[in-house]
Amino acid sequence: MRTPRIALALAFVIGGASVAAVHASSVIDELLNTTVFPWDKVPTQQSAGGTTRQYFDRPTSSLLQLGLRARTLSPGATPHPVVPNSITREQVLLVKDGVLEIKLGAKAATRIDAGSAVFLAPNQVYSIRNPGTTAATYYELNWTSPGMAGERQY
């Protein structure tokens, strides 16, 4: 993994110090640092089948990207109504309350209750649905590590 400091040192060696210093500085400025995200301060947006709260989606000191959001699905709703979803990142889904059904690829749907978690490998095709009679809330934690497809170049 090339860190901003290594990239800056390499730039000095090859003579592009002024350009690299500006670039490395902007990378460091956008890194996610220690932060508290109170539930009532995270903006709520309407999304397919319910609401979404995006806590963050930024690089960290060791990950190319780290994202966390909460979704609340209405009864019978799905966040991806047209086609199953797939992302290039690794992802963990954690059910906070309610019940969800998750369908992985061509497999039959599996019920996941509150407290249950699912790890999704990159490019795993899946779909989620709330089969319950009350809203269901779950968290999506996803990340891109150095070496994964789509890696950022600093």
Side-chain angles (χ1 to χ4, degrees), residues 86-91 119-125 143 148-149:
S86 169
I87 65 169
T88 58
R89 304 168 179 173
E90 293 177 311
Q91 182 167 249
F119 172 77
L120 295 168
N123 303 310
Q124 169 68 57
V125 175
W143 60 92
M148 291 176 64

Side-chain angles (χ1 to χ4, degrees), residues 34-53:
T34 303
T35 309
V36 174
F37 299 92
W39 175 261
D40 61 344
K41 303 289 187 225
V42 178
T44 302
Q45 299 175 332
Q46 291 301 312
S47 61
T51 60
T52 300
R53 292 173 189 250

Side-chain angles (χ1 to χ4, degrees), residues 21 40 84 103 115 118 152:
D40 61 344
K103 188 171 177 0
V118 177
R152 283 178 54 170

Side-chain angles (χ1 to χ4, degrees), residues 24-38:
S25 173
S26 67
V27 169
I28 291 169
D29 291 342
E30 70 181 26
L31 292 179
L32 181 62
N33 204 340
T34 303
T35 309
V36 174
F37 299 92

Side-chain angles (χ1 to χ4, degrees), residues 108-139:
T110 301
R111 179 186 167 112
I112 49 178
D113 297 310
S116 299
V118 177
F119 172 77
L120 295 168
N123 303 310
Q124 169 68 57
V125 175
Y126 71 97
S127 59
I128 295 175
R129 185 177 80 83
N130 176 356
T133 57
T134 62
T137 299
Y138 65 101
Y139 295 98

